[in-house]
């Protein structure tokens, strides 16, 4: 593996990734083009593989909105596109595997005992069957060159305690369910995947390493999925099959695997790139141009450390934005977007925490929904304080339910969770949250919700149109079936805005379909700055 000419202390070298020490408890994580199979690192590399893994992981981090370890994509030119700066965490030595389909080692165990990692499964399943519910099948990490050991959940409890074991299981299954839905919308089946987690000094559990890549996951083409038949994949199963079926190598021997022929290398690279492009909807670039790195592409925490202070109306010199989550988990995506755009973000959950807050964002996070009346009281109080308020997705519905915006959101026309990149037109810049746009500007955001169709009566709709209160409108497809393709509205003062598409997932180019969402957050930043001058 190349050392990329980095003059940095090498902390760890794994099968695919290298970690280099950086100041302030940071690490540079570099993904090489190495490929492993059957616990061997092969002599042949796959061109651009490391860049695919890194950039796809970044995209998934943006989609999931979970707390993760990436601090920045501002890296040395020699590793641009294949490296990230990450937090130094205390890694939990458990491979957190979620399976939604029966295959691989799970299929082998099922044939022998009717179980997977000791969990009983229904009779009559075949290779490739979808399981009634996703299952958590952990493994204990082994040294390099040795095979990780599948263990039961009870064994994880013995090793790490009930509280941490339950957090690993629940977080893994929640992330899998959300990712499986996103992949399915793009015609790809996420059969199983592996997550790794670390802990900060305060005990916070953080998603780490790579996520939902062809190396850590099993992807199938949904169009060709037939349980019991061969299932072509977008991962390194192609390499495994060549090694065991065509190469003449005996994996039970002590001999290392042979070099991969050129046609296998090319086909494997093609599968990795196809997975990236089908999931993200964007062409793959092995080394993204500098302008794709969004001004150095600092992530939320790095941007918070490096961005010069911005004057604001009150509370803080940077402008303080309260982040309220519709669910029981923090709205991490919204928090990161706010900080990335030069504002300070604090979590708020009730009216007592509004002192010192200059604006409020209400968005969703993973987990069950919070009590609606608490959030409605919070946004009403914020409106009474004169704060600009942005409701995203289900946060838009909260603003409608609280009477701050007309109309309501109902189940989308397909009746299922949708997640896709979506073109939207800015109908008016005359709001606190859209003043950095141009009227009629066309932008790309992310649509991700099941309750995403805006509806209202004829009289209210006429009033919205006449009062220039329709802020955003879907272009091309109307993903939810919203009335008149409305994707966002505002109140008469232009201080409260609800938007169905997600701007927080379109802030950094490497983690979203565009950087168009930034202007929503810079608009309120600029408004607060002007209000304080």
């Amino acid at each position: 593996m190349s050392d990329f000419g980095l003059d940095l202390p090498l902390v760890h070298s794994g099968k695919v990734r290298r970690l280099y020490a950086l100041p302030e408890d940071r690490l540079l994580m570099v993904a090489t083009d190495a490929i492993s199979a059957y616990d061997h690192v092969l002599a042949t590399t796959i061109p651009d593989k490391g860049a695919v893994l890194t950039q796809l992981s970044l995209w998934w981090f943006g989609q999931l909105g979970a707390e993760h370890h990436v601090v920045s994509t501002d890296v040395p030119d020699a590793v641009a596109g294949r490296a990230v700066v990450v937090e130094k965490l205390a890694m939990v030595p458990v491979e957190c595997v979620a399976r939604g389909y029966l295959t691989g080692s799970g299929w082998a165990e099922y044939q022998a005992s009717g179980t997977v990692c000791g969990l009983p499964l229904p009779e009559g399943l075949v290779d490739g069957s979808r399981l009634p519910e996703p299952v958590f099948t952990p493994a204990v990490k082994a040294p390099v060159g040795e095979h990780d050991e599948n263990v039961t959940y009870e064994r994880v409890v013995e090793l790490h305690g009930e509280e941490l074991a339950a957090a690993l299981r629940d977080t893994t299954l929640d992330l899998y369910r959300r990712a499986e839905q996103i992949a399915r919308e793009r015609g790809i089946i996420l059969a199983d995947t592996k997550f790794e987690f670390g802990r900060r000094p305060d005990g916070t559990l953080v998603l780490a390493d790579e996520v939902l890549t062809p190396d850590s996951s099993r992807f199938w083409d949904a169009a060709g999925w037939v349980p019991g038949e061969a299932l072509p994949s977008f991962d390194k199963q192609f390499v495994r099959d060549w090694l065991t079926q065509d190469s003449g190598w005996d994996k039970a021997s002590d001999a290392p695997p042979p070099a991969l022929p050129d046609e296998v290398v090319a086909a494997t690279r093609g599968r990795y790139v196809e997975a990236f492009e089908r999931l993200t909807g964007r062409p793959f670039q092995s080394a993204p141009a500098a302008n794709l790195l969004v001004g150095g592409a600092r992530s939320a925490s790095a941007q918070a450390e490096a961005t010069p202070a911005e004057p604001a109306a009150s509370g803080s010199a940077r402008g303080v934005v309260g982040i309220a989550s519709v669910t029981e988990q923090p709205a991490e995506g919204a928090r990161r977007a706010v900080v990335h755009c030069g504002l300070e973000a604090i979590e708020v959950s009730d009216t007592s925490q509004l002192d010192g807050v200059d604006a409020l964002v209400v968005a969703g996070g993973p987990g069950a929904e919070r009590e609606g009346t608490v959030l409605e009281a919070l946004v009403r109080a914020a409106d009474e304080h004169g704060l600009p308020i942005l409701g995203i997705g289900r946060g838009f519905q909260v603003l409608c339910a609280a009477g701050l915006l007309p109309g309501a959101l109902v189940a989308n026309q397909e009746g299922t969770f949708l997640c896709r990149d979506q073109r939207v037109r800015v109908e008016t810049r005359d709001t606190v949250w859209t003043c950095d746009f141009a009227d009629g500007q066309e932008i790309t955001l992310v649509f991700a919700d099941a309750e995403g169709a805006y509806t209202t009566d004829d009289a209210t709709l006429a009033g919205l149109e006449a009062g220039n209160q329709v802020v955003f409108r879907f272009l091309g497809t109307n993903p939810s079936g919203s009335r008149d393709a409305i994707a966002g509205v505002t109140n008469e003062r232009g201080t409260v805005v609800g938007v169905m598409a997600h701007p927080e997932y379109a802030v950094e180019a490497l983690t979203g379909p565009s950087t168009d969402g930034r202007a929503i957050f810079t608009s309120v930043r600029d408004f607060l700055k002007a209000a304080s001058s």
Side-chain angles (χ1 to χ4, degrees):
M1 291 190 292
S2 169
D3 62 6
F4 303 104
L6 298 174
D7 186 19
L8 293 169
L10 179 64
V11 176
H12 175 76
S13 181
K15 293 178 181 177
V16 174
R17 284 173 180 74
R18 291 185 169 190
L19 294 175
Y20 297 87
L22 293 173
E24 300 178 356
D25 279 336
R26 302 291 195 236
L27 298 169
L28 179 70
M29 187 172 77
V30 181
T32 70
D33 291 335
I35 189 166
S36 65
Y38 302 111
D39 299 317
H40 292 271
V41 178
L42 306 189
T44 313
T45 59
I46 307 299
D48 295 323
K49 175 175 172 284
V52 171
L53 300 183
T54 299
Q55 294 176 41
L56 187 55
S57 290
L58 284 168
W59 182 82
W60 276 114
F61 283 133
Q63 297 296 308
L64 297 173
E67 191 85 7
H68 60 76
H69 70 154
V70 177
V71 174
S72 173
T73 53
D74 189 2
V75 300
D77 290 344
V79 291
R82 65 170 65 244
V84 288
V85 178
V86 300
E87 298 179 57
K88 184 182 290 185
L89 302 170
M91 297 302 295
V92 181
V94 176
E95 299 274 3
C96 295
V97 179
R99 302 176 189 267
Y101 294 75
L102 184 61
T103 194
S105 62
W107 167 238
E109 180 183 334
Y110 175 80
Q111 288 178 290
S113 62
T115 64
V116 173
C117 284
L119 296 173
L121 296 179
E123 296 180 0
L125 301 181
V126 298
D127 189 7
S129 289
R130 184 171 185 172
L131 301 178
E133 289 290 336
V135 295
F136 177 63
T137 59
V140 175
K141 290 179 69 66
V144 174
E146 298 182 22
H147 195 65
D148 294 339
E149 176 191 358
N150 290 343
V151 296
T152 63
Y153 172 73
E154 289 73 23
R155 178 59 177 155
V156 178
V157 173
E158 291 175 9
L159 292 170
H160 300 289
E162 177 66 44
E163 182 178 358
L164 179 55
L168 294 172
R169 177 195 61 199
D170 296 347
T171 305
T172 295
L173 292 176
D174 180 66
L175 291 172
Y176 172 81
R177 289 187 182 98
R178 294 162 62 201
E180 193 271 338
Q181 289 178 317
I182 292 170
R184 185 160 20 96
E185 289 291 332
R186 288 156 169 78
I188 290 179
I189 289 175
L190 175 61
D192 53 48
T193 194
K194 167 188 70 72
F195 297 110
E196 295 193 39
F197 297 91
R199 302 177 88 175
R200 292 180 178 141
D202 65 1
T204 302
L205 194 65
V206 178
L207 186 58
D209 200 61
E210 65 178 328
V211 291
L212 297 154
T213 71
D215 268 15
S216 66
S217 312
R218 201 183 310 261
F219 293 122
W220 296 330
D221 188 338
W225 175 58
V226 180
E229 297 186 7
L231 298 168
S233 63
F234 295 102
D235 50 51
K236 61 183 177 182
Q237 189 60 44
F238 184 76
V239 171
R240 296 190 190 100
D241 291 344
W242 181 83
L243 287 171
T244 57
Q245 298 171 15
D246 301 318
S247 71
W249 175 64
D250 180 4
K251 69 177 183 178
S253 70
D254 293 331
L260 302 177
D262 290 346
E263 61 271 19
V264 173
V265 171
T268 302
R269 180 190 181 278
R271 280 165 167 76
Y272 275 68
V273 170
E274 184 179 358
F276 174 90
E277 293 183 342
R278 286 187 60 174
L279 285 165
T280 67
R282 290 181 282 157
F284 169 70
Q285 294 178 290
S286 59
N291 66 331
L292 288 181
L293 298 178
V294 193
R298 291 181 176 88
S299 69
S301 55
Q303 192 78 4
E305 296 166 3
T307 303
E310 295 278 1
S314 63
S316 163
R318 290 169 55 81
V320 178
V321 177
I323 308 294
S325 178
V326 176
T327 69
E328 294 175 350
Q329 298 297 317
E332 178 63 14
R335 185 195 69 80
R336 292 176 65 86
V338 163
V339 177
H340 184 88
C341 294
L343 293 153
E344 183 178 343
I346 63 170
E347 186 177 344
V348 298
S349 57
D350 59 56
T351 57
S352 67
Q353 298 171 311
L354 289 176
D355 288 344
V357 170
D358 302 308
L360 180 67
V361 174
V362 186
E369 289 197 15
R370 297 177 56 208
E371 176 62 43
T373 55
V374 175
L375 287 171
E376 291 167 26
L378 174 64
V379 298
R380 288 194 194 100
D383 186 51
E384 291 171 1
H385 280 66
L387 302 184
I389 306 172
L390 176 69
I392 304 172
R394 285 177 285 177
F396 185 176
Q397 174 60 32
V398 170
L399 300 182
C400 293
L404 301 189
L405 292 176
L409 299 185
V410 297
N412 64 55
Q413 61 187 358
E414 296 187 22
T416 58
F417 179 89
L418 299 176
C419 184
R420 62 184 65 170
D421 299 342
Q422 179 64 44
R423 294 292 289 169
V424 174
R425 183 171 61 238
V426 181
E427 298 289 77
T428 178
R429 64 183 302 274
D430 294 334
T431 81
V432 171
W433 298 93
T434 56
C435 55
D436 281 358
F437 290 109
D439 286 343
Q441 183 174 342
E442 297 183 5
I443 62 177
T444 300
L445 303 178
V446 174
F447 183 88
D449 219 315
E451 296 182 355
Y454 180 77
T455 185
T456 191
D457 58 71
D458 291 345
T460 301
L461 178 61
L464 289 172
E465 297 284 9
N468 202 29
Q469 289 177 248
V470 176
V471 181
F472 299 103
R473 206 180 298 270
F474 294 122
L475 290 176
T477 59
N478 181 351
S480 60
S482 283
R483 185 158 190 194
D484 281 23
I486 290 175
V489 300
T490 186
N491 63 350
E492 293 180 355
R493 304 190 310 277
T495 56
V496 179
V497 169
V499 58
M500 198 55 246
H502 288 258
E504 74 272 33
Y505 299 147
V507 170
E508 297 185 66
L510 286 179
T511 60
S514 73
T515 61
D516 294 339
R518 296 182 68 197
I520 289 181
F521 301 103
T522 60
S523 290
V524 76
R525 181 197 67 194
D526 295 344
F527 170 82
L528 295 175
K529 180 179 179 180
S532 68
S533 61

